[in-house]
Amino acid sequence: MRFMRTQEDWSVFLEQRDLMTSPPSWLNDWQGDGIISRGSTDEMIEAAVQRNIPVVELNDRSEVDKAHVRSDDAKIGEMAARHLMERGFQHFAFCGFDFEAWSQRREEAFVKTIQQEGGHCDSFNSPWMNLARPWEEDQQAISQWLQTLPKPCGIFTCNDLRGQHVLAVCSTLELTVPEEVAVIGVDNDELLCQFCQPPLSSVIPNAEAVGFLAAERLSRWMKGESHHESQQVVAPTGVATRLSTDVVAIDHPEVASALAYIRQHACEGLTVDEVLQNVAVSRSTLERQLRRYLGRTPQQEIRNVQLKRVRELLVTTEMAAEQIAYRAGFDHPEYMHYVFKRDLGMTPGQYRQSVRGQEN
C-alpha cells in the first residue's frame, strides 16, 4: 500500500488463497500486468510465463530460483543467538519444523553462531502442525526433548507459534521461564506473543520492507527494465524483548529459585522476608548473588518487576493509574507515581503518551 501511494496508475486485485494451490481460473484470460505471490506453484509460474506476466515470489517455504524477495533467515538466526548469549546462557537449543526451508535456514544460522562462540546447540524438529501427527503427540515429543536439555537453557524457536508450543510444555513440566528455560521466537506477532505465558520475546522481521521491495521490483520489471532471476533478502529490525527472555542466566539453583519467586509474586506486595521464607537461601547469599548477576538488591529487583508490570499495563490497557498501581502491588498510587518518575524520569501518564506517540 505504501508503494502504491507513489504510483499514479496502479490498480491492485487482492485474492487470499491457500498456499500451493492450483492456478486460479481467471489467470487464463486476465489482462493484468504483474503478480506478487506467496506460494506460487510451478503451474502458476508457467501460466504467467505463457502470458508474459512478470511474477515476484514471496514464498519462503522452499528454495526457489525465480524473482524472489524474503526475510533474511540467516540474520534472524544470528540475532536470536546473540540475544540469548548476551544473557549469559551456556546451553542452547533450537525448536523448529521439518521440511520448511525458512525454519532450516534459521536453525543453521543459529547453530553456526553458537558454535563460532564455542557453544553447543541441541535441536528438535517435527512436521508442521496439522500436516502430520496430532497436537498431543507433538507436545509429548517436545516434552521428552525438553527434559533432556541441561538447565538453564536458551531456546530459539523458528517462529512465534513454535514458541507458544514450547512455553505450553514448560508450563506442563513446571519449568520456570525464563530462569530455567528462556524462549525467543520470530515474527513479533503481538497478539500471539502476549497470549503466551509469560509473554514471548521475538525477533522482528521487516515484513513491510519485503512487501515494498517486491512492489518496487515488480514495477521496474513491468516498465521494461532488465530482470534477473535472483533472490533479495531483507534483514530483521531487532528483538522485541518480553518476559520469556528477560533474565540473566544464573547457575546458582537457590538464587535462581529466589529470582523466579520474585518474578511470580512481586506484584502481590512481596517483601524480601517473604522471599527468604519460601526459598532455601540466606539473605547475605541472595544479596551478594543478585548484585553479582543483576547489579541490584533483592528489594530493587522486586521494584524492577513491579515497574515492568506498570509499563506493560500502561501500554496494553486503558486502566487508570490508580488501578494499575494496585495490579502491580503498590499499596498507594502516590508511591507508584513517585517510584516511576524517580526511576524512569517521567510520570506514568507521560510514559503512556510517549509510547503511543511512537507507535503512531
Side-chain angles (χ1 to χ4, degrees):
M1 289 188 295
R2 184 160 60 86
F3 182 83
M4 280 179 58
R5 295 190 186 104
T6 69
Q7 309 298 305
E8 296 181 356
D9 56 350
W10 268 46
S11 176
V12 174
F13 169 64
L14 173 65
E15 182 181 56
Q16 304 221 14
R17 308 170 64 244
D18 291 336
L19 293 175
M20 312 307 288
T21 56
S22 300
S25 58
W26 52 258
L27 185 60
N28 294 324
D29 18 62
W30 185 55
Q31 300 301 311
D33 301 297
I35 296 173
I36 297 175
S37 176
R38 179 170 182 264
S40 296
T41 61
D42 292 338
E43 293 82 3
M44 183 170 180
I45 296 297
E46 181 61 29
V49 168
Q50 290 179 358
R51 297 186 54 78
N52 200 30
I53 300 174
V55 178
V56 176
E57 177 59 58
L58 304 183
N59 177 40
D60 56 5
R61 300 190 70 197
S62 59
E63 298 293 347
V64 296
D65 57 3
K66 45 188 173 285
H68 192 200
V69 183
R70 62 171 174 79
S71 292
D72 190 336
D73 294 308
K75 290 292 185 183
I76 287 174
E78 178 184 351
M79 187 172 287
R82 301 290 179 196
H83 179 80
L84 292 173
M85 288 191 293
E86 287 169 0
R87 279 147 182 78
F89 285 95
Q90 301 297 316
H91 306 293
F92 304 90
F94 173 85
C95 187
F97 293 117
D98 282 323
F99 316 119
E100 298 290 337
W102 55 273
S103 179
Q104 294 169 357
R105 288 190 295 261
R106 293 171 185 182
E107 177 182 7
E108 290 169 1
F110 180 74
V111 173
K112 179 181 178 181
T113 304
I114 296 298
Q115 291 177 341
Q116 287 176 340
E117 299 298 326
H120 171 74
C121 181
D122 291 282
S123 293
F124 174 88
N125 290 280
S126 63
W128 186 268
M129 296 305 299
N130 299 325
L131 295 184
R133 55 185 174 186
W135 159 260
E136 295 84 358
E137 184 178 335
D138 195 66
Q139 289 283 279
Q140 182 60 34
I142 294 175
S143 176
Q144 293 173 354
W145 172 67
L146 281 179
Q147 293 178 76
T148 68
L149 299 178
K151 312 296 187 303
C153 182
I155 300 179
F156 172 43
T157 64
C158 63
N159 63 5
D160 292 339
L161 178 63
R162 205 52 162 164
Q164 184 191 32
H165 296 167
V166 171
L167 289 175
V169 174
C170 287
S171 177
T172 300
L173 296 176
E174 298 185 348
L175 294 172
T176 57
V177 179
E179 288 77 22
E180 290 183 277
V181 177
V183 184
I184 180 172
V186 184
D187 288 336
N188 195 34
D189 183 323
E190 185 70 25
L191 184 61
L192 184 56
C193 290
Q194 293 293 348
F195 190 76
C196 293
Q197 184 59 35
L200 177 67
S201 295
S202 186
V203 179
I204 310 170
N206 195 343
E208 184 177 353
V210 170
F212 190 93
L213 289 173
E216 189 176 54
R217 191 170 188 175
L218 183 64
S219 178
R220 291 198 305 268
W221 193 0
M222 291 191 301
K223 290 176 180 177
E225 295 186 20
S226 60
H227 168 67
H228 300 286
E229 300 281 345
S230 60
Q231 291 192 7
Q232 188 171 5
V233 295
V234 179
T237 62
V239 172
T241 303
R242 300 185 179 89
L243 290 180
S244 69
T245 61
D246 188 13
V247 71
V248 174
I250 296 177
D251 55 10
H252 192 300
E254 290 77 16
V255 174
S257 295
L259 188 57
Y261 192 85
I262 289 173
R263 292 176 184 272
Q264 292 169 8
H265 301 284
C267 295
E268 301 170 7
L270 184 68
T271 67
V272 177
D273 286 338
E274 289 172 337
V275 175
L276 298 172
Q277 291 169 10
N278 287 275
V279 180
V281 63
S282 68
R283 181 182 291 271
S284 60
T285 297
L286 183 60
E287 292 269 357
R288 183 174 63 255
Q289 294 297 331
L290 286 191
R291 284 185 182 276
R292 172 191 169 193
Y293 284 107
L294 305 180
R296 294 187 288 269
T297 66
Q299 183 58 50
Q300 288 171 333
E301 179 59 17
I302 292 173
R303 193 69 68 222
N304 180 59
V305 174
Q306 288 180 295
L307 290 179
K308 285 181 180 178
R309 179 61 171 160
V310 171
R311 295 200 301 271
E312 177 188 358
L313 292 174
L314 285 170
V315 174
T316 61
T317 75
E318 298 298 331
M319 288 183 183
E322 289 72 18
Q323 293 175 286
I324 291 175
Y326 294 125
R327 289 288 187 93
F330 289 93
D331 291 334
H332 303 288
E334 297 80 9
Y335 186 60
M336 182 197 75
H337 279 267
Y338 166 75
V339 173
F340 197 95
K341 187 170 184 178
R342 181 195 66 192
D343 291 3
L344 279 80
M346 64 181 79
T347 66
Q350 291 170 335
Y351 178 82
R352 175 178 271 168
Q353 291 177 354
S354 68
V355 173
R356 294 187 175 178
Q358 291 172 10
E359 291 175 347
N360 295 330

